[in-house]
Amino acid sequence: MSSKSNPPSPQSNPHAPIDRTTLRNWVTSASPESTEQDISEKTFLTLLQQVSLEGLSQNIRERKKYAEYIFWMVSIWLVMVIMLVWLNGLGEIYCYNFLEPLLRSGVKYISFKFELSDAVLIALITTATVNITTFFLVVTKYLFPNTPDKDSPPVE
């Protein structure tokens, strides 16, 4: 007889969630002489299903999180491109000099000139479009993978 005490049997409550520590204890306490009463095939399949479901659940949570990160990154990128095109369209901007009372320079308005060449604008808009399309495709393929159905017969 072994001096180790066996962990509680999973058959006492088959619907109770099984944590990793309990699973590890069952595996390490099993000896070559183990019989059906220690670990049965049904219990093993239940454990396997729970571990699989836990992995799928974690995968879905991570997918949602990173899809949201990519969405915000692409949104900010798009707003920045729109702002640059808009500033280029304005050409020159006049702003009130709020430091004039402190500096007493006599300059009430400051002008900013913003001009990008046509080649830079084309490159900016093209890369923005390609990035947005690529991120959309990557996230969509990752969130909705093309996995074959288990019930459908294999295509030959």
Side-chain angles (χ1 to χ4, degrees):
M1 186 120 251
S2 170
S3 61
K4 277 194 221 177
S5 65
N6 286 338
S9 171
Q11 294 172 351
S12 59
N13 187 359
H15 300 291
I18 301 169
D19 62 343
R20 290 176 189 255
T21 309
T22 308
L23 178 61
R24 189 176 297 120
N25 288 341
W26 285 335
V27 172
T28 56
S29 68
S31 65
E33 300 88 30
S34 293
T35 60
E36 289 181 0
Q37 65 186 3
D38 292 332
I39 226 175
S40 68
E41 183 178 340
K42 189 174 184 181
T43 304
F44 177 73
L45 292 175
T46 304
L47 292 173
L48 190 61
Q49 286 176 343
Q50 286 181 349
V51 169
S52 176
L53 286 176
E54 182 181 320
L56 287 173
S57 174
Q58 180 183 5
N59 198 1
I60 289 170
R61 280 192 310 270
E62 293 298 316
R63 286 178 181 184
K64 285 180 180 180
K65 181 174 78 172
Y66 286 109
E68 187 173 346
Y69 289 163
I70 289 174
F71 168 78
W72 285 110
M73 183 179 76
V74 168
S75 298
I76 291 169
W77 176 262
L78 190 58
V79 166
M80 288 174 53
V81 168
I82 290 171
M83 292 284 294
L84 288 174
V85 171
W86 180 69
L87 285 173
N88 191 58
L90 289 177
E92 196 167 0
I93 302 169
Y94 294 97
C95 296
Y96 177 73
N97 184 5
F98 61 91
L99 294 176
E100 197 274 326
L102 295 173
L103 300 176
R104 298 181 187 180
S105 63
V107 178
K108 292 236 180 223
Y109 294 96
I110 301 172
S111 71
F112 296 101
K113 193 168 189 168
F114 189 84
E115 187 176 330
L116 296 174
S117 70
D118 290 343
V120 171
L121 279 175
I122 290 170
L124 184 67
I125 293 170
T126 303
T127 58
T129 305
V130 169
N131 280 334
I132 290 169
T133 306
T134 304
F135 281 136
F136 174 75
L137 289 174
V138 167
V139 170
T140 303
K141 282 189 181 256
Y142 186 66
L143 287 177
F144 307 104
N146 229 359
T147 56
D149 293 336
K150 291 181 180 178
D151 298 332
S152 65
V155 179
E156 294 181 17

